[in-house]
Amino acid sequence: CPKSEEYPRGHEVIDDIAIYRYKIPLNAEGVLSYFVEFAYAWVATALLSVRVLFREGFDVIQACNPPDTFFLLGALYKLVGKKFVFDHHDLSPEMFLAKYEKKNKLLYKALLLLEKLTMRTARIVIATNESYKKMAIMRGKKNPDDVFVVRTGPDLKRLTPRAPQPALKQGFKHLVCYLGEMCPQDGIEYLLQSAYYLTHSLGRQDVLFVLMGGGPAMPRFKQMSEEMGLQENVKFTGRISDDLVCDYLSTADVCVDPDPYSEWADHSTMNKVLEYMTFARPIVTFDLQETRNSAQQAAVYVKPNDIEIFAREIVTLLDDPERRRAMGAFGQRRIRNELAWNHTRQNLVAAYDRLFRPGYKYQYKEV
């Protein structure tokens, strides 16, 4: 996997798991760099896989995406008896359309082809939700018995609610939090526009917005915030420790997911939503299919990309503490009883049972 600011070491062992990382020289921001990033990731991973084969040994390659190019590696290792599992994290063709303003039909079709070849090479496909499972069956022509939904449920040992920390509000009455990577497709500009409308048009100067996380687009969004005159009401923390994330989410009055509508967003599960629910926080989000499937009654759903209604719904929740508590409690129960990792990991075990016992069938509960 690639190195990051949080995990800069090329090799380490965590919980008896050997981890090998490579350095990513750039974040793709155009079509050419998109190709370069894909090719570089494949070569770096292939070289590391040979090293792992001789140092550690392995029986299975479980490859997530993007990029959707590791089927070539899987096909090569299948020749020597290794098995290939596709861990389908993102709809790469739809993500490409969401990420870049200039559409390139040829590249989009190429991404569709890579996805199909990956599905065809994989013995088992792990999907993050029911929408992705349908894609694997319909677009990837997979046997439904070979596709397993394994949601990335929160780890309740790592994300632990605690007492609110009023000092984090910095003197403001209300705290609104965002958690996650800040990439071009993540809708941070919609959140900033909503924050501007809330503070200037609605006159709510009693609200602090805290945006937690890094990402290639964070500097641009931070500059946008300053140009909009939001320095007093919007704070960018950058990447912070899990402890501080827990403090902020335990203190927040409302959490937000500003992902705008796109085919990619509509079919994807946003981990931030599940993390908000873990901390019993009410959520304001644009109305996306898989977000609604995850949060259900824990969120208020706004017409996609309407920043004024988004801001008004934040204010409505801030002024209704009883409703906030009820929504938060519903979300937290749903995490603890259905969506936490200790529940969803059972499907991962079932996928590997299927991998090593081809006749094995497992009936899992859709959540």
Side-chain angles (χ1 to χ4, degrees):
C1 61
K3 294 180 181 179
S4 65
E5 291 182 10
E6 188 176 2
Y7 299 105
R9 298 180 63 181
H11 175 253
E12 62 181 321
V13 177
I14 301 176
D15 295 334
D16 296 325
I17 299 173
I19 301 172
Y20 294 79
R21 302 188 184 94
Y22 57 87
K23 184 178 180 180
I24 285 286
L26 77 163
N27 285 300
E29 294 183 357
V31 173
L32 179 59
S33 60
Y34 205 79
F35 274 116
V36 171
E37 183 178 312
F38 268 38
Y40 179 89
W42 193 94
V43 172
T45 302
L47 292 174
L48 282 179
S49 74
V50 174
R51 185 179 177 189
V52 174
L53 180 65
F54 286 101
R55 286 188 60 175
E56 317 282 348
F58 61 82
D59 298 301
V60 181
I61 293 179
Q62 179 175 321
C64 69
N65 73 322
D68 292 33
T69 52
F70 292 124
F71 72 92
L72 290 168
L73 201 57
L76 289 173
Y77 278 111
K78 284 173 73 173
L79 297 175
V80 292
K82 308 304 180 184
K83 300 181 186 296
F84 180 61
V85 174
F86 179 37
D87 192 354
H88 197 189
H89 279 201
D90 276 307
L91 297 173
S92 290
E94 284 75 17
M95 176 185 273
F96 171 75
L97 294 180
K99 194 171 183 178
Y100 300 109
E101 293 181 4
K102 288 186 69 176
K103 312 304 180 188
N104 186 308
K105 291 183 179 180
L106 183 61
L107 183 53
Y108 174 74
K109 289 181 179 179
L111 291 172
L112 283 174
L113 177 61
L114 290 175
E115 180 186 86
K116 290 177 181 178
L117 291 171
T118 301
M119 297 281 188
R120 191 168 299 175
T121 305
R123 174 66 185 83
I124 295 291
V125 173
I126 294 172
T128 60
N129 58 41
E130 293 295 330
S131 291
Y132 278 40
K133 180 178 181 177
K134 290 176 183 176
M135 287 286 190
I137 295 169
M138 297 174 64
R139 203 156 77 182
K141 308 300 182 186
K142 297 300 293 183
N143 180 343
D145 291 336
D146 294 331
V147 184
F148 292 78
V149 175
V150 181
R151 288 177 172 271
T152 50
D155 183 352
L156 300 184
K157 295 179 181 179
R158 182 178 70 87
L159 297 174
T160 54
R162 68 269 312 260
Q165 303 291 323
L168 294 178
K169 293 188 175 184
Q170 300 180 11
F172 289 85
K173 182 178 180 179
H174 298 295
L175 175 63
V176 175
C177 282
Y178 168 91
L179 172 65
E181 283 289 290
M182 300 182 201
C183 299
Q185 72 272 18
D186 290 324
I188 303 302
E189 68 272 27
Y190 290 94
L191 178 57
L192 294 177
Q193 290 166 17
S194 290
Y196 183 89
Y197 184 80
L198 184 147
T199 55
H200 289 71
S201 298
L202 301 181
R204 294 298 295 260
Q205 292 294 324
D206 58 345
V207 182
L208 173 66
F209 289 80
V210 171
L211 283 63
M212 296 173 280
M218 188 190 74
R220 176 165 65 86
F221 290 130
K222 190 172 181 179
Q223 181 181 354
M224 182 186 299
S225 173
E226 293 171 355
E227 290 172 353
M228 296 170 73
L230 291 171
Q231 298 94 318
E232 295 298 318
N233 294 88
V234 175
K235 175 183 177 182
F236 290 81
T237 68
R239 289 186 175 89
I240 56 178
S241 68
D242 284 350
D243 274 345
L244 193 50
V245 167
C246 291
D247 285 339
Y248 269 113
L249 293 184
S250 297
T251 306
D253 298 294
V254 170
C255 289
V256 291
D257 178 10
D259 281 282
Y261 178 84
S262 66
E263 285 293 320
W264 168 76
D266 198 44
H267 290 95
S268 298
T269 297
M270 304 303 173
N271 289 340
K272 65 177 78 69
V273 170
L274 303 180
E275 290 164 349
Y276 299 157
M277 293 164 65
T278 301
F279 287 84
R281 299 302 94 181
I283 304 161
V284 176
T285 176
F286 292 126
D287 195 357
L288 303 173
Q289 175 183 326
E290 282 298 334
T291 299
R292 186 179 281 273
N293 288 346
S294 296
Q296 297 183 1
Q297 298 172 40
V300 173
Y301 303 97
V302 175
K303 177 183 176 183
N305 309 356
D306 191 321
I307 60 102
E308 293 186 7
I309 299 178
F310 199 92
R312 290 183 184 278
E313 291 293 356
I314 292 174
V315 169
T316 298
L317 275 183
L318 291 177
D319 293 341
D320 193 344
E322 287 300 321
R323 186 184 178 199
R324 295 205 311 267
R325 278 192 287 271
M327 292 172 61
F330 174 89
Q332 191 174 65
R333 283 195 305 271
R334 180 155 164 74
I335 292 293
R336 291 178 175 176
N337 297 336
E338 300 177 77
L339 299 179
W341 177 239
N342 59 300
H343 299 295
T344 61
R345 67 184 181 184
Q346 297 171 17
N347 289 350
L348 179 60
V349 174
Y352 272 82
D353 280 334
R354 175 75 172 174
L355 183 67
F356 290 107
R357 292 190 286 162
Y360 177 85
K361 291 188 178 182
Y362 174 67
Q363 297 295 324
Y364 57 88
K365 179 183 177 183
E366 181 178 339
V367 293

